[in-house]
Amino acid sequence: MAASHAARQPQNDGYRTLSLSGHVGFGSLPDQLVKKSIKQGFCFNILCIGETGSGKSTLINSLFNTNFDDPVSTHFLPSVRLRAQTYELQESNVLLKLTIVNTVGFGDQINKEDSYQPIVDYIDAQFEAYLQEELKIKRSLFSYHDTRIHVCLYFISPTGHSLKTLDLLTMKSLDSKVNIIPIIGKADSISKTELQKFKNKIMSELVSNGVQIYQFPTDDETVSKINTIMNGHLPFAVVGSTEEVKLGNKMVRARQYPWGIVQVENENHCDFVKLREMLICTNMEDLREQTHARHYELYRRCRLEEMGFRDIGPENKPVRLPCSKSYADRKTVCHSYASVESLQEAYEAKRHEFYLELQRKEEEMRQQFVQRVKEKEAILKEAEQQVQTKFEHRMLMHQEVKLKLEKKKKVLEDEIAMFIEKKANAELLQSQASVSTPVVSLKRDKDRKKNQGFRLELLCFDVRDEETVNVHEQSEREREKLERERNSPRAFQK
């Protein structure tokens, strides 16, 4: 009676706890959920961020004991690209759809200022795709392939000094969007003493710069102890390898060097086992829940506020859904929490606001267009006036040149006429003189021949002085005689 009375007492939360007198059956709900989840399968999305060659692909292959055949990346890409590949894995009867997103070319550019921006855009794009599916009237979230990033494995180069500026900027930009687990890749390249100092340095820099990394949950009593211990080992220093080396009588995954062997699954050599235990075996579901309940809800709230939706109306009253009609009896079924404003009203108000804004911008664009048209018309008119002025000036120059050419043409025509007249007179004189010219020309030919004969005689008798004188005198006399005969009227008549 006392127990039943205590069970019937009202609780502070407004409900009572009652005991059952027999078997009901809802104790099998966990089993039903397990069967449903196994049938549906699980999805898990990992984002790997780190410089090229930091061991991202090798570690992922080591974590899942398989080879994902991730192509080798180059160091000479102009910008950061994200490459997502989805695989289906099965362990026992559990099906896992695993998506691995690799940042190709991260940290390889000279200007690393915006290297993290493509990563932020990718994460927001996955959130936006899920939100759009959620806001559909006819949703299919049950079969929707969830691509939201559940965990970010951030690979830190084992420099042994401190975090790079790019690492701090990237993690600071992502800590509100994804669960970040920092990892020191290729941890076998530094000594254990340096490694512990490096871990402490990294954690102090993250705290001082306000970077929120993922902390393993400690509210569950079954895993709180191990998670508390593992939170103290962050960041994990890991070594990955898919090669097996014979050690004693068994084969182990390890990296073999001239100075010894580094075993991947040996906790004294690296934190690979700790990472796999925390990431896959213990906290995979918590990472999925944190992604949905914390990071996605933050993105969803901001996006809905941008769209104009509020939980509280103008008068600080809760927003309610609009009344709907039941399809069974067509009766109006209103919600019990009546309010002044509904989601429909908020949507209509936002729509009206957008419409007014659109009209305002349209009016501004129309005015700008009219103003630009007027300015263009003024410019065209001014150009037209300039062209008209140039045309008139060219016409005047053309007329002046035309007058000059006409004057020159007239002068040339006068000269041509005078030349033709002179040519006609010359031809007339030439025709008159051609009648008397033959007789005179014949006598001139005879005289020319005689003169040539005389010259030969002079040359022949030049040897003797006396004879030369006689010949010369005789020739002179004959020449005079010929001149007289030529000038006499009788010779002219002949």
Side-chain angles (χ1 to χ4, degrees):
M1 290 292 294
S4 61
H5 179 72
R8 294 192 185 100
Q9 287 182 353
Q11 303 296 322
N12 295 330
D13 294 335
Y15 58 86
R16 296 181 302 167
T17 302
L18 300 176
S19 62
L20 303 177
S21 58
H23 176 72
V24 176
F26 58 80
S28 62
L29 272 176
D31 297 333
Q32 297 176 31
L33 289 175
V34 169
K35 291 179 182 179
K36 183 179 179 180
S37 299
I38 291 175
K39 182 179 179 181
Q40 182 181 357
F42 302 89
C43 69
F44 192 63
N45 306 320
I46 301 176
L47 172 64
C48 298
I49 302 177
E51 298 178 357
T52 304
S54 58
K56 301 186 294 295
S57 300
T58 305
L59 180 65
I60 294 298
N61 293 338
S62 302
L63 281 173
F64 292 94
N65 282 331
T66 187
N67 187 8
F68 292 105
D69 295 328
D70 191 22
V72 179
S73 303
T74 180
H75 289 271
F76 304 102
L77 294 177
S79 60
V80 179
R81 295 183 302 173
L82 278 83
R83 182 171 58 211
Q85 293 177 318
T86 303
Y87 309 91
E88 287 189 355
L89 307 178
Q90 186 170 359
E91 186 179 23
S92 300
N93 60 341
V94 179
L95 181 65
L96 177 66
K97 185 177 290 185
L98 178 66
T99 300
I100 300 172
V101 183
N102 192 11
T103 53
V104 182
F106 180 79
D108 292 336
Q109 293 76 31
I110 296 177
N111 184 8
K112 303 179 179 63
E113 183 177 358
D114 296 329
S115 295
Y116 61 89
Q117 192 58 45
I119 305 173
V120 175
D121 295 340
Y122 179 84
I123 296 174
D124 288 343
Q126 310 317 307
F127 284 153
E128 182 66 23
Y130 191 88
L131 178 62
Q132 293 300 324
E133 181 66 26
E134 197 177 48
L135 293 177
K136 287 181 179 179
I137 297 176
K138 188 177 180 180
R139 301 185 299 180
S140 57
L141 292 176
F142 179 79
S143 59
Y144 177 76
H145 180 208
D146 188 5
T147 58
R148 296 173 297 177
I149 301 299
H150 298 126
V151 64
C152 169
L153 300 181
Y154 196 95
F155 287 76
I156 301 171
S157 300
T159 59
H161 300 292
S162 60
L163 287 172
K164 299 179 181 179
T165 305
L166 177 61
D167 297 331
L168 290 172
L169 288 175
T170 304
M171 285 191 278
K172 185 64 177 176
S173 301
L174 298 178
D175 62 355
S176 62
K177 300 177 181 294
V178 69
N179 303 309
I180 300 175
I181 298 179
I183 293 174
I184 301 174
K186 296 184 177 181
D188 54 344
S189 60
I190 55 178
S191 64
K192 287 187 176 182
T193 305
E194 293 176 342
L195 182 60
Q196 189 58 44
K197 292 180 180 179
F198 190 38
K199 283 186 175 185
N200 298 334
K201 182 69 173 177
I202 290 172
M203 293 305 296
S204 64
E205 288 185 352
L206 292 176
V207 172
S208 61
N209 288 277
V211 178
Q212 301 292 328
I213 64 173
Y214 175 73
Q215 295 290 324
F216 303 117
T218 57
D219 52 354
D220 188 355
E221 295 180 357
T222 58
V223 294
S224 61
K225 184 177 180 180
I226 185 65
N227 282 350
T228 302
I229 296 173
M230 291 303 170
N231 283 331
H233 285 84
L234 290 173
F236 292 128
V238 297
V239 176
S241 176
T242 56
E243 298 179 359
E244 291 187 347
V245 178
K246 188 173 182 180
L247 189 64
N249 296 327
K250 60 179 181 178
M251 300 295 292
V252 295
R253 285 191 300 165
R255 301 187 72 89
Q256 189 169 8
Y257 298 99
W259 44 264
I261 296 175
V262 178
Q263 299 180 37
V264 173
E265 297 182 354
N266 190 336
E267 295 190 35
N268 294 323
H269 292 180
C270 67
D271 297 333
F272 175 80
V273 176
K274 297 182 179 67
L275 174 63
R276 184 175 61 184
E277 184 72 20
M278 292 293 100
L279 179 65
I280 301 175
C281 302
T282 307
N283 299 300
M284 179 181 283
E285 182 58 28
D286 184 74
L287 289 167
R288 287 157 43 90
E289 290 180 1
Q290 285 291 322
T291 299
H292 182 79
R294 179 186 170 193
H295 302 297
Y296 171 69
E297 284 299 323
L298 176 62
Y299 177 84
R300 178 178 176 275
R301 184 184 68 193
C302 295
R303 285 289 288 124
L304 291 179
E305 287 178 354
E306 290 177 2
M307 296 168 64
F309 295 101
R310 298 290 187 274
D311 291 333
I312 300 176
E315 299 178 1
N316 293 327
K317 294 183 179 180
V319 176
R320 64 173 177 83
L321 291 172
C323 297
S324 59
K325 289 186 178 181
S326 173
Y327 285 94
D329 52 5
R330 299 293 180 180
K331 293 180 180 179
T332 302
V333 181
C334 296
H335 296 278
S336 59
Y337 45 93
S339 175
V340 178
E341 187 179 5
S342 66
L343 286 176
Q344 183 67 25
E345 291 172 352
Y347 172 76
E348 291 295 335
K350 194 66 177 179
R351 182 175 177 274
H352 183 66
E353 181 182 348
F354 282 150
Y355 180 73
L356 294 178
E357 182 70 15
L358 180 63
Q359 285 186 332
R360 185 183 63 81
K361 289 184 178 181
E362 185 178 356
E363 181 64 22
E364 289 180 358
M365 293 178 64
R366 189 185 67 80
Q367 292 179 359
Q368 291 178 1
F369 177 75
V370 172
Q371 182 66 24
R372 289 182 180 180
V373 169
K374 290 181 179 179
E375 293 176 356
K376 195 67 176 179
E377 286 180 352
I379 294 173
L380 290 175
K381 287 182 179 180
E382 184 179 356
E384 185 179 1
Q385 290 178 357
Q386 293 178 358
V387 170
Q388 183 67 25
T389 304
K390 288 183 180 180
F391 176 75
E392 293 175 355
H393 178 67
R394 295 291 174 85
M395 288 296 296
L396 293 174
M397 292 177 62
H398 175 70
Q399 291 177 358
E400 293 177 359
V401 172
K402 185 177 180 180
L403 292 174
K404 291 180 181 179
L405 289 175
E406 287 178 352
K407 290 181 180 179
K408 288 183 179 181
K409 182 180 178 181
K410 186 176 181 182
V411 172
L412 286 174
E413 288 177 350
D414 294 341
E415 290 179 355
I416 289 171
M418 291 175 64
F419 177 76
I420 292 173
E421 184 179 357
K422 288 180 180 180
K423 182 179 178 182
N425 294 333
E427 289 177 350
L428 180 61
L429 292 173
Q430 187 177 5
S431 63
Q432 291 176 357
S434 63
V435 178
S436 59
T437 301
V439 177
V440 177
S441 62
L442 289 173
K443 291 189 71 65
R444 287 179 179 175
D445 291 339
K446 290 180 180 180
D447 293 340
R448 189 178 295 111
K449 290 180 180 180
K450 288 180 180 181
N451 291 333
Q452 289 178 356
F454 291 148
R455 290 192 186 96
L456 290 173
E457 290 179 359
L458 289 173
L459 292 172
C460 293
F461 294 99
D462 189 40
V463 180
R464 295 176 298 175
D465 296 335
E466 293 179 358
E467 293 179 0
T468 303
V469 173
N470 293 330
V471 170
H472 180 68
E473 291 177 354
Q474 187 178 357
S475 63
E476 286 291 333
R477 286 194 297 270
E478 290 180 357
R479 189 182 297 112
E480 292 176 358
K481 185 178 179 180
L482 288 173
E483 288 292 333
R484 285 194 300 271
E485 288 177 357
R486 188 183 301 167
N487 295 329
S488 65
R490 188 180 299 173
F492 185 75
Q493 290 176 0
K494 290 179 181 181

